[in-house]
Amino acid sequence: MKTPQTKLTILFLFFIYLCYSQSYKFDKIINNSFSTEFFPNQKRTNLFNSEDDSYHMQIFYRNDSLVSRIFDTKENQIHYFYLENSDSLKLFFLETKRMIKSENRNKFEFSDIKEKKETKEITLKILNDNGKKIAKYKFKIKETDKNYFSIFRISALETQLYNKIKPKIDFIVLEARGTNISGRFVKYKLDSIKDINLNVEIPN
């Protein structure tokens, strides 16, 4: 028989577990195509939380094994997993590593929307701290009720992981072409976006 003191101890330990355990919720799964000069026709899968872009998950193949990793920019951590298969999304935790925070002073300039036939286009210029243009992208977009630009930022702007970029309007990038900060041509296409309900707990 549990005494009142035992019950209080269990409740206290459960409260401590909730406070210190890490949990991630994902509600969007994104498939996109990404090409660079030296690495054409890449297929990428990412999971996002549409309310919190401080973390995201990548799923990819490595040496014929399906693996994933969660990037957490608040805690500066990367959590590694392997998966049995992509259909179940059953994750098996491997390890956690520290992530080196990399910030820059880039500035971001969005043009106004230009409507061409049935598409809407926006241009983004990335400037360094001296105001010099170092990258430029042209987007085909779809206006949305939330800011989904972080899906493109995290998927394709790999040097901007820690930068928060807020466009003038809310939209999602459907296609992009441009030149990155290394001067190389890149191409991006959103292949699919689907709702998902996935919670991931990191073991203590």
Side-chain angles (χ1 to χ4, degrees):
M1 181 177 178
K2 294 180 179 178
T3 66
Q5 185 175 1
T6 302
K7 290 180 180 179
L8 285 173
T9 301
I10 292 172
L11 286 172
F12 176 74
L13 291 174
F14 181 68
F15 175 76
I16 293 296
Y17 171 79
L18 290 178
C19 288
Y20 289 95
S21 64
Q22 288 177 277
S23 177
Y24 299 95
K25 178 177 175 58
F26 300 96
D27 61 6
K28 300 291 180 185
I29 182 167
I30 311 294
N31 290 296
N32 67 69
S33 306
F34 185 76
S35 293
T36 66
E37 183 178 353
F38 300 110
F39 300 99
N41 304 319
Q42 301 175 59
K43 296 292 184 180
R44 298 181 173 184
T45 299
N46 291 288
L47 279 73
F48 296 89
N49 182 322
S50 59
E51 303 293 338
D52 186 354
D53 64 0
S54 67
Y55 62 87
H56 72 284
M57 180 194 291
Q58 291 181 343
I59 298 176
F60 56 99
Y61 280 95
R62 175 178 289 169
N63 299 326
D64 297 325
S65 296
L66 192 61
V67 297
S68 75
R69 53 189 178 185
I70 295 175
F71 292 83
D72 185 336
T73 58
K74 281 185 179 178
E75 301 296 330
N76 297 317
Q77 293 179 331
I78 308 176
H79 307 290
Y80 293 85
F81 308 83
Y82 78 88
L83 291 82
E84 284 186 342
N85 59 73
S86 58
D87 294 330
S88 70
L89 283 179
K90 187 175 182 180
L91 301 170
F92 296 88
F93 177 74
L94 296 174
E95 61 178 338
T96 295
K97 292 184 178 180
R98 296 294 298 172
M99 183 167 60
I100 299 175
K101 189 171 184 178
S102 177
E103 291 182 289
N104 54 59
R105 296 181 181 180
N106 293 158
K107 300 179 180 68
F108 308 93
E109 293 184 355
F110 289 91
S111 70
D112 294 327
I113 292 180
K114 294 181 180 180
E115 297 197 26
K116 292 188 175 182
K117 296 182 180 179
E118 297 180 357
T119 63
K120 295 182 178 181
E121 295 184 354
I122 284 181
T123 299
L124 167 65
K125 293 180 182 178
I126 302 178
L127 313 174
N128 64 16
D129 54 357
N130 294 320
K132 181 181 178 181
K133 185 185 74 175
I134 56 175
K136 183 178 179 180
Y137 298 87
K138 181 178 285 187
F139 305 132
K140 289 183 180 179
I141 66 163
K142 178 183 178 182
E143 292 189 68
T144 53
D145 57 354
K146 291 181 181 179
N147 176 21
Y148 287 118
F149 183 75
S150 59
I151 290 174
F152 173 79
R153 173 179 62 84
I154 291 169
S155 300
L157 299 180
E158 294 165 341
T159 62
Q160 309 296 337
L161 184 61
Y162 281 91
N163 283 22
K164 300 297 182 183
I165 306 174
K166 177 64 177 174
K168 301 174 185 177
I169 62 169
D170 294 332
F171 63 85
I172 187 168
V173 176
L174 303 178
E175 295 183 29
R177 292 173 178 264
T179 306
N180 63 19
I181 62 172
S182 299
R184 297 190 177 95
F185 178 76
V186 296
K187 186 169 64 174
Y188 166 95
K189 182 180 179 182
L190 178 71
D191 295 323
S192 67
I193 175 170
K194 296 179 181 178
D195 293 333
I196 194 171
N197 184 12
L198 178 67
N199 289 287
V200 180
E201 297 282 345
I202 307 299
N204 288 324

